[in-house]
Amino acid sequence: MDLANLATQLNAGTILPESIVLVTLMVVLVGDLIVGRSSSRWVAYAAIAGLLGSIIALYFQWDIANPIAFLGGFNGDDLSIVFRGIIALSAAVTILMSITYIEKSGTALAEFLVILLTATLGGMFLSGANELVMIFISLESLSISSYLLTGYTKRDPRSNEAALKYLLIGASSTAVFLYGVSLLYGLSGGQTELSAIATGIVQANAGQSLGLAISLVFVIAGIGFKISAAPFHQWTPDVYEGAPTPVIAFLSVGSKAAGFALAIRLLSTAFPLLSSEWKFVFTALAVLSMILGNVVALAQTSMKRMLAYSSIAQAGFVMIGLIAGTEAGYASMVFYLLVYLFMNLGGFCCVVLFSLRTGTDQISEYSGLYQKDPLLTLCLSICLLSLGGIPPLAGFFGKIYLFWAGWQAGQYGLVLLGLITTVVSIYYYIRVVRMMVVKEPQEMSDVVKNYPEINWTLSGMRPLQVGIVLSLIATSLAGILSNPLFTLANNSIANTAILQPIIISSAGAQSFAPVPKTSPPVSLTDRT
């Protein structure tokens, strides 16, 4: 094979966005080695610039003619582009909230950014991985970087404990996942590419074998850990409470998005013969996640632990779209993750700012905050209400889209449970909002009474303010002006070749018309 043919088959231009992130990582690493500690003044902005450059490169790769790269190992289709964009954007917002936090913890900012960019690379590659070895390497890049980020504040014993728990449980889940894909490799006759695995299983007449069922269970266990779905959620509350807050912000969005991208690609391509079985398993996971996440969140006194159980419940909601298995179901997953990016990271931006100013994350200490910090109160209230699904915020339209897709696919019980648990979630979100806004001045907590003077000119505070304002604007407007996001989500699924067979063959297969420019939820319901 000559070099020209090799270059054509590699099609390396498909990973241009990841290449930009990799170059940015090297610039941050080498720049810090050369300049030293003074590099903290510019490395964060260089990292953000690189991530934004990666997002721009993703935009220009939309609907490319030949998305397959590296001899079938990577698929840069529109579905992967959306998920890679979500991960890159979540990393950029995470850096905005990390600058002051990391500097005040007494650790090096550049090293933190290098590990975060490595996790971002792993997540982006995982979103488009089309081959078992590529999937495993990408998954490990994301996982090992996440363990390092969790224990990054070495002087905090809670961070060390969280990292150790995350590492032990994560290593176990990786072993389980790896055993599952090894069975898949054997049953397919030694194939590693996902489409070839499905063909090999059909040819070997192994579609209903016990080995394939065991492989499916183990693979789902690995995916369930990554998306923090019950009962694979044991690590989530402790890691969220002990890890640095910017880290859990990234894990709650970037890592979760990568997990769902892996679930869609792996299950729809390698397990088409067991689609009813994996949908049944995910139905059980969704039920457990929605009930456990929302009910246990009611009893939490720590804001970070409450958001941990909230993220478990949110994973249950997103799984409704995966279980539906229709074009609308997959599109609703993409849309919800797009709006979840802004409302969840906005909430964590506020938690970071409050903890920097007060040193606590207890919910009771937020009492009367409106009197001292109206901007923080407004942003946190909007983000929490959006997570609860209050109209006309982005979270409302995301949940309506998910529930409509599930209802159209015949998942009536799951949708009804989602509606009930959404009402439960509204209670604990509004409890925080009421505490911040309704309390009288004399009922302020001692922490708020001693709240420091607001000064955005301090070093590193301006990026945090930018992150808060951007999240506030996006969460407020993404619901009202949601049509571009609806169109993006729909097109990303309609233009993805690997999803078409399973969509067409699904029991509730229906053609999904373009979303009108009027109110999407009403018009979508009318189409049924």
Side-chain angles (χ1 to χ4, degrees), residues 84-108:
R84 288 147 73 194
I86 291 173
I87 294 167
L89 190 55
S90 66
V93 178
T94 300
I95 292 173
L96 287 175
M97 71 175 83
S98 300
I99 299 174
T100 303
Y101 190 98
I102 296 301
E103 287 180 346
K104 289 201 171 186
S105 69
T107 51

Side-chain angles (χ1 to χ4, degrees), residues 58-76:
L58 286 169
Y59 171 80
F60 285 106
Q61 288 194 344
W62 182 262
D63 205 15
I64 58 177
N66 182 21
I68 306 298
F70 294 95
L71 307 177
F74 187 83
N75 191 341

